[in-house]
Amino acid sequence: MELTYTNANGESVTLRQTRPFFLTRVDGAGKVRQTVNTFKAPDQDGAFFISSAMDMRNITLEGSVITPTITETYDQRRRFLRVFTPKQQGTLVYRNRQIQCVVEEAGFTASSRERAPNFFISLLCPSPFFEALEEIREELAMWSPLLLFPLEIPGVGLEFGIRQPSQIITVDNIGDVACGCHIVFRALGSVTNPELMSLDTDDMLRLNTIMQSGEELHVYTHFAGKKVTRVLGSVESNAFSMLDTSSVFLQLEPRRNLLRYNAAENMDLLEVTILYRPKFLGV
């Protein structure tokens, strides 16, 4: 049993079953609660289900500070309270999953054992979902290199790369719930109106613009974090106005997702990348 908390300043503390922060209990990492909305008509037995939504997650940690001397104990106490400050948000990493949280309470309980005081931490997670530590990257349209060394060029010439022949790719979301993603459209030349469609739901995301060579359009479809940016060289700008009015911010369902890219003109000059973090209900 081991977990690491890192605050916004990059300071971190690892809690496990060893010195100096001996972890004895973790609660809230494996259970979820939700609010269920229902409607009840007069004289109706039971009720109609309307919707449900996940509540915030509360994770509590308990343990003891164990050091050889009382002086070291107080040093570790000060470090503990500095890292678990309620003034900053942080990230908790547990069993190869991470979750964003804020310190609701952190302190030490009264104890006669000065060399082994007990600590208690309450972490409030506004989003109840654990996420993968690393983003998963999927390439929908790209050039695969064919160069090998040592290099020999025959008289008939040599292909330096080959483009993927299919417009469709399967993205396997291994998480427990749907998640947003980061979509990158990259132009190798002039490209008109790049788009990405989900073949499962027919939802489509289209940008009405003519991309220049080397230009990138970044679309973020995360809940409460939706945005569109344009990157050309070292200049980044807001490109939300390019979004087609019929567009949907695509979500990756917790299964295999079939996606297809397209463009009104010069589709062969378009590269598309999707980055996402699967979300989990617990660890």
Side-chain angles (χ1 to χ4, degrees), residues 169-201:
I169 190 173
T170 300
V171 177
D172 192 2
N173 179 8
I174 62 174
D176 299 326
V177 295
C179 67
C181 57
H182 173 196
I183 305 168
V184 182
F185 296 101
R186 186 179 301 105
L188 304 179
S190 177
V191 176
T192 303
N193 298 352
E195 68 177 50
L196 184 66
M197 173 181 284
S198 169
L199 298 182
D200 300 306
T201 62

Side-chain angles (χ1 to χ4, degrees), residues 133-271:
L133 293 180
E134 301 293 337
E135 280 189 321
I136 297 177
R137 183 186 184 95
E138 299 284 357
E139 304 284 355
L140 276 78
M142 64 174 295
W143 289 85
S144 301
L146 295 179
L147 286 180
L148 296 174
F149 291 92
L151 178 63
E152 294 184 6
I153 301 179
V156 295
L158 176 67
E159 288 186 340
F160 286 81
I162 185 172
R163 186 174 177 82
Q164 292 179 348
S166 177
Q167 289 179 252
I168 301 174
I169 190 173
T170 300
V171 177
D172 192 2
N173 179 8
I174 62 174
D176 299 326
V177 295
C179 67
C181 57
H182 173 196
I183 305 168
V184 182
F185 296 101
R186 186 179 301 105
L188 304 179
S190 177
V191 176
T192 303
N193 298 352
E195 68 177 50
L196 184 66
M197 173 181 284
S198 169
L199 298 182
D200 300 306
T201 62
D202 290 333
D203 290 338
M204 177 272 301
L205 187 147
R206 178 185 296 126
L207 298 170
N208 295 323
T209 183
I210 299 177
M211 300 179 67
Q212 307 174 36
S213 177
E215 180 181 345
E216 293 184 357
L217 293 174
H218 295 249
V219 184
Y220 300 83
T221 71
H222 308 90
F223 184 80
K226 297 177 174 64
K227 63 179 180 177
V228 183
T229 60
R230 175 179 180 264
V231 178
L232 184 59
S234 59
V235 179
E236 181 175 334
S237 57
N238 187 348
F240 209 95
S241 60
M242 298 180 182
L243 196 66
D244 190 276
T245 55
S246 62
S247 292
V248 175
F249 284 98
L250 301 178
Q251 303 293 301
L252 300 177
E253 297 298 326
R255 49 176 167 77
R256 289 186 175 180
N257 297 261
L258 288 177
L259 303 175
R260 184 183 69 187
Y261 74 95
N262 204 349
E265 293 181 10
N266 298 331
M267 182 189 67
D268 291 341
L269 299 178
L270 178 66
E271 290 185 349

Side-chain angles (χ1 to χ4, degrees), residues 1-4 15-17 22-31 57-63 92-95 119-121 123 130 283:
M1 185 166 57
E2 176 179 328
L3 52 82
T4 300
L15 310 177
R16 54 194 170 198
Q17 292 176 311
F22 193 97
L23 183 65
T24 58
R25 183 179 179 185
V26 179
D27 188 32
K31 61 182 180 181
R57 183 187 295 271
N58 182 231
I59 298 177
T60 58
L61 312 172
E62 297 179 25
L92 184 70
V93 176
Y94 183 44
R95 293 181 178 174
F119 62 79
F120 174 81
I121 310 164
L123 301 174
F130 283 86
V283 294

Side-chain angles (χ1 to χ4, degrees), residues 103-131:
V103 177
E104 185 178 35
E105 179 184 353
F108 294 86
T109 58
S111 173
S112 60
R113 300 176 301 161
E114 288 188 294
R115 288 179 54 183
N118 299 323
F119 62 79
F120 174 81
I121 310 164
S122 176
L123 301 174
L124 190 63
C125 308
S127 173
F129 305 114
F130 283 86
E131 296 181 336

